[in-house]
Amino acid sequence: MKLTWFGHACFLIEHQDVRILTDPFDSSVGYRVPSVSADIVTESHQHFDHNAHHLLKGDFQLIKEPGEYSFKKLKIKGVKTFHDEAGGSRRGTNIVFAFEFPEWTVVHLGDLGHILSPQQVEAINQVNVLLIPVGGTFTVGPDEAKKIVEQLQPNVVVPMHYKTKYIKFDLRPVEDFLKFFTNVKKLSESTFELTEEVKSHRAVVYVPSI
């Protein structure tokens, strides 16, 4: 399993012969727009910093609605959630995507704005790798993100959607989230690989560089 973080909520997930790109952004966000090919592009919601699939090259399957999908040996489950803590009345809906490979499940929470309900936790089910927003303002903040990690019990946690020197939004830094964890791996690259060994761990936090 290999992941590359392009900034904000955009990741390239590569496993076997499948390439998934999540929540592509445009240049106004502050990061460099990814120049990669993908088989599948998912969008958790239709805000400009998460839905810029028109800037991507090549042919891909676009998924931007809740539901169940399949591609080769991959199953994708899109679970409806909300962009705020008020049932979507402020910022609308959000989709949590669970990418279920035969050996791995990667869950991308998009711009989740609330603690998960028991029904949502059950729908998401088992999680090996959790990609979770932690910057607050438009999503859950560090405290809520910690509670969601406790709800889902992933092996690996990768924070996203937080303040960096590139981004132009008023978000909290990743350190406000990391203080809750003792097993933190700060990486020197934006791309990293995960081996089967991590499945014996619980809530190891990987922080890729960009």
Side-chain angles (χ1 to χ4, degrees):
M1 173 69 65
K2 183 165 71 172
L3 292 90
T4 301
W5 185 49
F6 293 105
H8 214 39
C10 186
F11 288 84
L12 180 66
I13 302 166
E14 300 176 85
H15 185 55
Q16 296 175 344
D17 59 346
V18 179
R19 294 163 60 89
I20 305 163
L21 189 76
T22 67
D23 283 18
F25 49 76
D26 66 23
S27 60
S28 69
V29 174
Y31 297 107
R32 181 180 297 178
V33 174
S35 179
V36 295
S37 62
D39 301 300
I40 296 167
V41 175
T42 59
E43 294 174 347
S44 61
H45 62 292
Q46 294 304 300
H47 289 169
F48 72 95
D49 52 332
H50 295 261
N51 74 342
H53 62 269
H54 58 284
L55 300 178
L56 303 176
K57 300 175 182 178
D59 296 323
F60 50 83
Q61 179 181 349
L62 177 64
I63 301 176
K64 57 180 182 177
E65 299 291 341
E68 296 186 0
Y69 307 85
S70 61
F71 181 87
K72 297 183 178 179
K73 295 182 179 180
L74 169 67
K75 294 181 180 179
I76 301 174
K77 184 187 302 179
V79 179
K80 181 180 176 181
T81 56
F82 299 101
H83 201 324
D84 54 55
E85 71 285 357
S89 62
R90 297 173 186 169
R91 289 187 289 272
T93 58
N94 175 73
I95 305 169
V96 168
F97 282 107
F99 305 107
E100 301 175 355
F101 295 95
E103 309 90 357
W104 292 85
T105 296
V106 181
V107 172
H108 185 282
L109 294 182
D111 266 13
L112 183 65
H114 58 89
I115 303 296
L116 296 167
S117 69
Q119 293 79 12
Q120 290 164 340
V121 171
E122 182 179 1
I124 295 168
N125 203 0
Q126 180 181 355
V127 184
N128 297 124
V129 183
L130 181 65
L131 312 179
I132 183 169
V134 302
T137 306
F138 307 107
T139 70
V140 292
D143 297 270
E144 296 90 353
K146 173 181 177 289
K147 293 176 182 176
I148 293 167
V149 170
E150 292 170 349
Q151 287 182 303
L152 295 177
Q153 294 289 302
N155 303 113
V156 171
V157 179
V158 185
M160 63 180 184
H161 210 283
Y162 55 82
K163 184 67 175 178
T164 69
K165 64 181 180 180
Y166 302 103
I167 200 164
K168 301 176 182 179
F169 302 143
D170 183 20
L171 303 176
R172 294 175 65 176
V174 70
E175 286 75 18
D176 289 356
F177 173 73
L178 300 181
K179 67 183 181 183
F180 295 118
F181 299 88
T182 56
N183 197 346
V184 175
K185 298 182 182 297
K186 292 191 175 182
L187 309 176
S188 59
E189 304 287 342
S190 59
T191 298
F192 58 101
E193 293 192 28
L194 298 172
T195 65
E196 288 287 326
E197 179 189 3
V198 303
K199 294 180 183 177
S200 64
H201 300 154
R202 188 63 64 195
V204 178
V205 182
Y206 282 68
V207 186
S209 298
I210 195 162

